[in-house]
Amino acid sequence: MAKRSVPFSFKTYGRLRESIFGPLRSTGARQQVPRTRPSDSSPTKQRQRSFATGSRLLRSDDNEIRGARDSLTTVSEATSTAATTSTRAQRLAVTTATAPEMASDEDYMAFLDKANKDADDAHAQADETVRAQAGSRAQLKALDAGQTAPQSIVDVCKSAVYTSDADEPFEQVSLKYTGGSSLPDEEEFAKLINHWDVAQADISIMDPLDWDANGQYTKVIEAVRDASKGNDVRVYKVVRDATRVEYWVITREGERIVGAKALAVES
């Protein structure tokens, strides 16, 4: 069978190609496609707006906190100032109430003198109380270490008792003494017996006959005199407190003083 020829042209080819591949692009300048801005409703824009809003809120809260702190500081300072002013006013009121109105300089000086005298009396009373308490507790020394009184004194102390509000036995005395005089004075005696307050010691020296006017303690006096072969005898009165005293019947024997002592309660 003979082939049938079909007429063909470029126009026919173009229509056929367009029907298959679509129209050809122009070879001229490239067509510019306009760009569009992203919508405000995009997720990025929403996050940015949330961050900006949160920052403004934080700054606002920080300003409010700073303002509240400044207000509290101001209130605290005002309260402290008011308290200080009140305290000063109270002190001034106490001072004003304490000092009476003075009609003249003489009255004011009299007021000061009385106040000072009251203070001095209070101090003196306190000192007296301390000394009395010390005297009540103190133990006076009657025997040096390794010492004992002569035998005549030891024997009389076994039975002799001093009679007062409380009957107390006599105790032997033997203390080293190298003073120039036959017997120590009041201050020397205070040192020998270890008095708790030598400078303020209340000690007086008596004659044996004045001390024993009724002859109750003749045996004690004679025993002390015999121990020293007839030397001088004296009685030392040592005040311990308001109601208690000690009587020391003392003589000199060589380089020591010897004798007997007793406690007396005299209410």
Side-chain angles (χ1 to χ4, degrees):
M1 185 169 82
K3 293 183 181 180
R4 186 179 178 180
S5 61
V6 178
F8 183 80
S9 64
F10 283 105
K11 186 176 182 180
T12 302
Y13 173 76
R15 285 197 299 267
L16 180 60
R17 188 184 184 287
E18 287 179 359
S19 64
I20 297 172
F21 298 104
L24 292 174
R25 293 182 179 179
S26 174
T27 58
R30 297 180 64 180
Q31 185 179 1
Q32 297 293 327
V33 178
R35 294 181 179 180
T36 59
R37 298 178 62 183
S39 173
D40 290 343
S41 61
S42 64
T44 301
K45 285 295 182 179
Q46 290 178 357
R47 287 194 296 271
Q48 291 175 351
R49 283 198 301 272
S50 298
F51 179 77
T53 302
S55 298
R56 287 194 299 272
L57 290 175
L58 288 175
R59 286 194 297 271
S60 176
D61 291 343
D62 185 60
N63 291 333
E64 291 180 1
I65 292 172
R66 188 179 294 109
R69 185 171 60 247
D70 294 341
S71 299
L72 288 175
T73 302
T74 302
V75 171
S76 177
E77 291 175 351
T79 302
S80 177
T81 302
T84 302
T85 304
S86 176
T87 302
R88 290 176 178 173
Q90 291 175 359
R91 290 176 179 173
L92 180 60
V94 170
T95 303
T96 304
T98 302
E101 294 183 1
M102 299 300 169
S104 64
D105 293 341
E106 290 76 9
D107 292 338
Y108 182 68
M109 292 304 298
F111 168 75
L112 292 180
D113 291 340
K114 183 178 184 304
N116 291 332
K117 183 178 182 303
D118 292 342
D120 292 340
D121 291 344
H123 286 305
Q125 182 63 35
D127 292 342
E128 183 64 26
T129 301
V130 172
R131 285 196 296 269
Q133 292 175 349
S136 298
R137 296 189 298 266
Q139 182 67 40
L140 300 176
K141 184 173 70 171
L143 289 173
D144 280 328
Q147 290 283 329
T148 184
Q151 191 60 44
S152 61
I153 296 175
V154 173
D155 292 340
V156 77
C157 287
K158 292 178 180 179
S159 58
V161 174
Y162 187 88
T163 302
S164 64
D165 291 350
D167 294 341
E168 296 289 341
F170 278 89
E171 301 174 14
Q172 56 178 313
V173 176
S174 178
L175 297 170
K176 293 179 181 179
Y177 176 66
T178 58
S181 59
S182 60
L183 289 171
D185 60 19
E186 293 86 348
E187 184 175 354
E188 289 176 325
F189 189 75
K191 293 178 181 179
L192 289 173
I193 65 176
N194 286 348
H195 194 279
W196 61 90
D197 189 356
V198 173
Q200 300 294 328
D202 188 357
I203 298 177
S204 56
I205 302 176
M206 306 172 60
D207 186 276
L209 295 179
D210 294 334
W211 170 65
D212 185 26
N214 297 325
Q216 294 177 266
Y217 310 108
T218 302
K219 290 183 179 181
V220 175
I221 297 173
E222 291 301 326
V224 172
R225 183 174 284 112
D226 291 345
S228 64
K229 305 289 190 292
N231 287 339
D232 193 16
V233 176
R234 288 290 180 266
V235 177
Y236 292 79
K237 179 181 179 181
V238 181
V239 178
R240 295 187 67 96
D241 53 41
T243 59
R244 300 191 307 163
V245 298
E246 288 187 5
Y247 292 107
W248 298 59
V249 184
I250 300 298
T251 190
R252 175 79 177 264
E253 183 199 38
E255 294 186 348
R256 64 174 179 167
I257 58 173
V258 296
K261 78 178 185 74
L263 175 67
V265 179
E266 300 174 347
S267 59

